[in-house]
Each structure stands twice: as structure tokens, then as C-alpha cells.
Amino acid sequence: MIKLFHAKGSRSVRIIWLFEELELDYELAPLERGKPNPDFVEASPFAKIPAIKDGDLLLSESVAIVQYILMKYGQGRLQPATDSNEYAYFLHWLNFGESTLVLPIVEILKNTMFRPEEHRHPYTVESAKEAFIKLLKTMDPMLSQQDFLVGNEFTAADIINGYTLRLASNIGLLNGAEGTKNVCDYYKRLEAREAFQKAISS
């Protein structure tokens, strides 16, 4: 059984969501601040969550874990056929959520929560908010034509981006700004999924 090192609200939510969508058995290994976990250190030398242990295999980085799980246990589910053009778009969106889309959110969090107040940069926050809304407006026309990101079917790319949009929602960025309605509706569809609800409550 796959062991998932998990901290509530972290990117490991993505992996629980994936497990639940695929109806796979898994074991959660909750991590707590101030409580060393040698197994986690072995699985994730950079101390990044999530990390998994699957037999002798140790792996971190949420997108890599998603790709590994799909390859080994997915049986073709939650991704297009690997020899199709849609698979290329799937890879694009799979990485978009953990690279392009999350960057403005990280800047906002650093400058509103993580840094000491004297080191925060209000201009960076406002600039990041504008950048994020611009990304949503770029995505919005496509999501007026289809319910999900790839081939109009739910895939693991929606899991990656759904978690990122949850971060955005938590800090008030999915606020129905003009030109973002379809993205907001897309997030509501993801939020309504049973596997999503199971993941965020774990």
C-alpha cells in the first residue's frame, strides 16, 4: 500500500484527491510541526510535502507523484491516451497549475503571511493580484466552451489546478472579477466533487 506523508491543507491534498478519484487504497502518515519523522526525511530529503513511499520507491513533488500514480495504477484513467495530441495539452495544464498559476499566489502569501511585517512589499502583493487575474482572464474563454481543462473530461490536470485555485479562493482571489466568471464556475464544479471534499477534510 502506498504511504503518503501528509500535512493538512498542503499540496498532499492533491494526492489524496487523486487516490480518491482512482479509488486506490493508501495509508496517510500525518506530519506535525516539531515532531521529527525519519521516514519522511528519507522520502523527501528537501523536506517538501507531499512525499510517498511505494514499496522501495520514495518520491516527492506533487506533479511527479501524480504522473507516477497514473503511470503505475491509473489504467488509463484521468488522462488522455499518451499517443494523442490531447496528452500534450494534458502535460501543459498539469504543469501550469504548479508553475505559472501558483506563482502570483506564492508572492501574495509571502508578503501577507510568511514574512515579518517589516519585510513585506505591498506593491508586490498588488502586482501579483493583477497578474493572477490576468491569468484567469486568459483561461476564462476556454472554460466558457468546456467544463474541464483537457478534452472536456475531468483529468488529473484539474486536480493540480483545482488545488491551486483553492489556495486562491482561500485568500479572496476568486471573487467573481469581470472576465473570470467561467473560471470561478469551473472551480465550483471541482469543489463539488466528493473526492475533493474528502481530500480537503483529511
Side-chain angles (χ1 to χ4, degrees):
M1 185 183 299
I2 305 169
K3 177 186 284 189
L4 170 64
F5 297 95
H6 169 60
K8 190 173 180 64
S10 75
R11 286 170 171 82
S12 49
V13 164
R14 287 172 168 159
I15 311 306
I16 298 173
W17 186 0
L18 178 67
F19 287 153
E20 291 293 330
E21 294 282 359
L22 292 173
E23 299 182 314
L24 297 179
D25 292 329
Y26 59 96
E27 174 190 352
L28 279 187
L31 299 171
E32 298 181 40
R33 286 176 182 259
K35 291 189 177 181
N37 187 316
D39 289 340
F40 171 64
V41 173
E42 181 186 17
S44 183
F46 296 104
K48 295 296 183 182
I49 302 169
I52 62 168
K53 183 174 184 178
D54 186 19
D56 293 332
L57 182 131
L58 303 170
L59 188 64
S60 59
E61 295 293 341
S62 60
V63 174
I65 292 171
V66 166
Q67 290 181 283
Y68 167 76
I69 296 299
L70 292 178
M71 176 186 69
K72 188 165 183 181
Y73 300 105
Q75 298 179 325
R77 295 171 292 171
L78 299 187
Q79 64 179 8
T82 56
D83 60 352
S84 68
N85 286 340
E86 284 192 336
Y87 188 74
Y89 297 119
F90 169 75
L91 293 177
H92 164 82
W93 287 113
L94 197 67
N95 287 278
F96 177 86
E98 185 52 15
S99 55
T100 304
L101 189 61
V102 82
L103 290 181
I105 298 172
V106 170
E107 287 301 316
I108 293 167
L109 291 173
K110 283 194 299 189
N111 286 284
T112 58
M113 294 176 60
F114 299 147
R115 286 177 175 162
E117 192 165 352
E118 63 271 21
H119 296 303
R120 296 176 183 177
H121 302 122
Y123 173 80
T124 299
V125 173
E126 293 308 311
S127 178
K129 287 179 179 178
E130 291 177 9
F132 184 78
I133 295 301
K134 184 176 180 180
L135 290 171
L136 296 192
K137 288 181 176 180
T138 303
M139 296 170 67
D140 203 72
M142 180 190 73
L143 287 166
S144 72
Q145 303 296 318
Q146 58 194 60
D147 287 342
F148 301 106
L149 293 175
V150 183
N152 206 26
E153 291 187 9
F154 180 83
T155 70
D158 298 299
I159 292 175
I160 295 295
N161 286 275
Y163 171 81
T164 302
L165 290 174
R166 174 172 167 75
L167 292 178
S169 178
N170 287 345
I171 58 175
L173 290 177
L174 291 187
N175 53 17
E178 183 179 357
T180 69
K181 178 184 182 300
N182 294 304
V183 179
C184 293
D185 289 345
Y186 163 67
Y187 176 67
K188 290 175 185 175
R189 286 192 292 277
L190 299 181
E191 196 177 33
R193 297 182 73 86
E194 184 178 347
F196 175 96
Q197 291 299 322
K198 178 70 179 292
I200 64 172
S201 65
S202 295

